[in-house]
Amino acid sequence: IHGTTHTNVGTAVVAAMVLGCVYCACAIGLRSSACTLLSLGLVLFALTNGAMWIATSSTQADVAGANWREAHAGMIGTNLGGWLLLEKWLVDRGQSSLGSGKIVSPFELTAAKGAIDERSLSIGLRAGGRLDALDAWRDAYVTKADFKEIRLAELDSVRIPFGWWIVVGSAAPDGFHRGAGLRYLDDAMRWAEEEGLKVILDLHGAPGSQNGRQTGGHEAKGWTTDWFDVDKSVEVVRIVAERYAFSSALVGITLLNEPELPLRISIPFYKRAYDAVRAAGCAPERVAVIVNLYALDAVLRDGWVLQREMPSTCYPNLVYDIHLYYAFLPSWMQPLLSLQSLTTTAVWLQAMAVYISGRPSLIGEWSLRLPFSGPLSADLNSLSAERRNTLLSDFGQRQLVEYSEQSGSVGMFFWTWNAPAHEAAWSLQRALTNGWLQPGHIKQARARMRAELRAISADSHRAYAASCLIY
């Protein structure tokens, strides 16, 4: 394939081999023959994707995407989670917002008793005549002052998760509370424009739910993939794309957050939603359409299929979104690791997911949170405050370095801006205040991503010149 370099393919092969070894080491009772096949499969995948990745940088491929990356690659920003979709685990109790002071969580009210997600919260508050508490939360949790502070922290972008009920016209769509609805997104886009921040809009909760979890607004035990409403989800994407198509702040739209859908459902949706975004006036050289590959297996499985089903020749400037976390390791895996290896080697390994994805990718969510339970959690809790701070600082710096150095990396967004004091490792605002992350490190990571982009562009120009000589 024209444009392939031995260095980049070799890196992908090494990454795949190491990932294969890790899989084999972690899999209990996995036979050596299965291990060999898995490693071989990952190597073959990396060989193909390594070639594809550089090839897509050539002048024969995605020109609009290349122009978009030239303008926007190097984004380092924050999510505004817990605002336009309340995730109970994140906002279940009153928190001391560093920007707005004490905020009472709607989940604390008597009317919210038994609520497990935003849908049941809205239903309970409506029955108790306290929907005003949800409105008050949305009005106070993120304000213009936050956008100013984000800019001052050397961040250049925000990812805004929202629930579909914010967009539609009904006052109580499927039990949810719309309230001021699109006014909140209108405010956010205006504040971003005023502060010079870039925006990625993220459909975090889709009609019918894309995963049946409280992170999507509706935790339903009986949820099946057939609940996902393709038609209505496409309409939600169309509405926000049309409304903000010509905003100077909008640079991307994430079609779904953390979907757990079979490809027979997700791919037709992605194609229709992509077309809706473009038809709404979001030209590919200005706005990326973003597909979230949820978990590593989706990178290795869905990413490959999407390369074939949605090639850049037909779907220019399609970007992958990968979420990299370390908080959710199963207990059986933890004895294989230490806090040191988890916050160093594991970061390097996970970062390879960006490279082997085969497409330009952003880290849509990352954090400093380490395992909630198990041996590693106990080890973390046993550290002195000084050693814990040092560990988190090194962990944050390591992630900034590794994620920004990967070929194809176009940006990274911390989850999230504000979180309660007892979950400070989820809050970029608190991480900056505590010194775990520093504006200077953020600037350096952005410069690395920009330098990597220039290196890829130089490689593709040399490869194109060589191919012209051959022909």
Side-chain angles (χ1 to χ4, degrees):
I1 298 177
H2 298 305
T4 303
T5 65
H6 295 295
T7 300
N8 286 320
V9 176
T11 302
V13 171
V14 171
M17 292 178 68
V18 174
L19 286 169
C21 291
V22 170
Y23 275 14
C24 295
C26 294
I28 297 175
L30 187 64
R31 296 184 179 182
S32 59
S33 59
C35 179
T36 302
L37 288 173
L38 177 58
S39 297
L40 179 60
L42 285 170
V43 170
L44 291 174
F45 176 87
L47 276 169
T48 308
N49 264 26
M52 289 177 66
W53 167 236
I54 299 301
T56 56
S57 300
S58 75
T59 56
Q60 300 173 1
D62 188 357
V63 175
N67 290 338
W68 180 87
R69 292 192 296 277
E70 178 63 33
H72 303 301
M75 289 182 291
I76 300 184
T78 183
N79 282 272
L80 299 179
W83 181 33
L84 301 181
L85 192 159
L86 280 72
E87 300 184 27
K88 184 177 180 179
W89 72 271
L90 180 64
V91 298
D92 64 340
R93 52 183 121 160
Q95 34 190 316
S96 178
S97 167
L98 298 180
S100 304
K102 182 70 174 179
I103 305 175
V104 176
S105 169
F107 282 102
E108 291 184 283
L109 302 181
T110 302
K113 185 177 181 179
I116 60 174
D117 52 30
E118 183 163 338
R119 183 175 183 271
S120 55
L121 172 68
S122 300
I123 292 172
L125 294 178
R126 185 177 292 109
R130 290 303 317 272
L131 284 173
D132 62 300
L134 187 48
D135 292 330
W137 176 271
R138 292 171 179 169
D139 288 338
Y141 193 65
V142 173
T143 68
K144 184 176 182 178
D146 290 291
F147 281 71
K148 288 182 176 294
E149 187 176 349
I150 288 167
R151 188 59 176 167
L152 289 173
E154 293 293 343
L155 303 169
D156 61 4
S157 46
V158 291
R159 179 175 181 258
I160 305 179
F162 65 92
W164 67 274
W165 50 92
I166 294 293
V167 174
V168 298
S170 169
D174 192 31
F176 289 99
H177 175 55
R178 182 171 187 256
L182 282 166
R183 191 208 79 195
Y184 293 112
L185 287 180
D186 290 346
D187 287 344
M189 298 302 291
R190 185 177 68 257
W191 296 334
E193 290 172 357
E194 291 171 353
E195 295 301 325
L197 295 171
K198 302 170 184 180
V199 173
I200 290 177
L201 295 175
D202 159 42
L203 180 53
H204 216 71
S209 184
Q210 71 276 23
N211 53 29
R213 301 183 183 277
Q214 60 88 31
T215 54
H218 185 193
E219 184 169 338
K221 292 182 179 179
W223 180 84
T224 68
T225 57
D226 292 333
W227 287 25
F228 174 63
D229 191 327
V230 173
D231 292 339
K232 189 176 288 187
S233 296
V234 171
E235 179 62 9
V236 171
V237 170
R238 184 199 65 78
I239 290 171
V240 296
E242 187 174 82
R243 191 177 186 91
Y244 306 115
F246 300 102
S247 168
S248 60
L250 183 66
V251 298
I253 297 176
T254 301
L255 301 181
L256 284 177
N257 181 73
E258 298 184 350
E260 298 182 34
L261 301 168
L263 292 174
R264 65 175 175 83
I265 294 176
S266 62
I267 288 181
F269 164 71
Y270 291 146
K271 290 180 176 181
R272 289 181 55 191
Y274 179 98
D275 290 342
V277 170
R278 298 303 180 219
C282 295
E285 61 270 16
R286 292 191 298 104
V287 179
V289 173
I290 303 168
V291 171
N292 181 199
L293 300 180
Y294 183 39
L296 181 60
D297 61 331
V299 175
L300 299 175
R301 182 193 65 240
D302 299 357
W304 171 256
V305 176
L306 282 166
Q307 290 279 16
R308 183 183 69 243
E309 294 292 327
M310 301 183 72
S312 60
T313 50
C314 301
Y315 298 90
N317 202 14
L318 183 69
V319 173
Y320 288 157
D321 172 5
I322 301 169
H323 297 176
L324 299 181
Y325 284 133
Y326 304 83
F328 309 109
L329 288 178
S331 295
W332 65 263
M333 187 183 292
Q334 293 194 31
L336 301 171
L337 300 166
S338 65
L339 285 176
Q340 177 68 17
S341 61
L342 180 63
T343 56
T344 55
T345 306
V347 174
W348 175 74
L349 287 170
Q350 285 220 108
M352 289 296 179
V354 175
Y355 182 79
I356 64 175
S357 72
R359 248 193 174 116
S361 300
L362 58 86
I363 311 300
E365 296 182 16
W366 65 287
S367 79
L368 299 182
R369 190 62 166 93
L370 291 167
F372 288 95
S373 59
L376 292 178
S377 177
D379 291 346
L380 181 65
N381 292 334
S382 70
L383 296 179
S384 66
E386 182 179 1
R387 290 186 63 194
R388 182 186 177 94
N389 285 336
T390 299
L391 177 72
L392 291 175
S393 179
D394 291 345
F395 184 37
Q397 174 70 345
R398 173 74 64 171
Q399 290 187 83
L400 283 171
V401 169
E402 296 295 348
Y403 301 161
S404 62
E405 286 185 344
Q406 295 303 311
S407 294
S409 180
V410 297
M412 48 195 297
F413 294 81
F414 197 94
W415 184 273
T416 183
W417 177 240
N418 189 27
H422 65 276
E423 285 292 359
W426 290 109
S427 168
L428 180 53
Q429 193 178 35
R430 295 184 186 278
L432 290 164
T433 300
N434 294 338
W436 301 334
L437 293 172
Q438 298 178 16
H441 295 159
I442 292 171
K443 286 184 68 175
Q444 291 168 8
R446 181 179 298 114
R448 280 191 295 270
M449 274 189 274
R450 298 296 299 173
E452 183 64 32
L453 172 67
R454 288 191 292 270
I456 291 173
S457 297
D459 280 349
S460 66
H461 284 310
R462 284 193 293 270
Y464 179 68
S467 69
C468 291
L469 289 174
I470 292 173
Y471 289 111

